Amino acid sequence: LSKQPAVAALKQKLDDLKFDVNEQSKTLSDLLQDFKEQTGATQIEARNGKIYEIISISKLVVKNSKYNP
C-alpha cells in the first residue's frame, strides 16, 4: 500500500507539514523568549481575555569533550 504513488505523495506531504510545524514552533519559542527578555513580561493576554504564561523549557544533553575540553 505504501508503495502506491498517491500514498507516497501523501506521506511526503505529511512529513513536510510536520517539519513546518516544528520549525514554526521553534520560531514562536524564540520570539516569545525575546519578548520576555525585552519587556520582562511573563504573561500575555489574548484578545478573548485568556491569559497565557511564557515559560522556558530546558533539556540536558551529553557534553561533547571534543568541542569543550
Side-chain angles (χ1 to χ4, degrees):
L1 185 67
S2 64
K3 297 200 188 256
Q4 294 179 1
V7 175
L10 283 174
K11 183 186 179 317
Q12 182 60 49
K13 186 172 183 174
L14 180 61
D15 290 344
D16 291 345
L17 288 171
K18 285 180 181 180
F19 177 81
D20 290 345
V21 168
N22 190 16
E23 288 297 308
Q24 290 176 358
S25 178
K26 289 178 185 176
T27 299
L28 177 59
S29 179
D30 290 343
L31 290 170
L32 286 169
Q33 186 64 32
D34 289 346
F35 176 80
K36 183 178 176 182
E37 289 173 1
Q38 291 175 10
T39 66
T42 59
Q43 295 180 342
I44 296 176
E45 183 176 351
R47 292 184 183 138
N48 63 3
K50 190 180 275 190
I51 303 289
Y52 292 90
E53 185 174 3
I54 301 171
I55 62 167
S56 298
I57 299 174
S58 300
K59 65 180 182 176
L60 186 64
V61 295
V62 175
K63 181 178 176 181
N64 187 338
S65 61
K66 206 185 252 188
Y67 301 108
N68 288 325

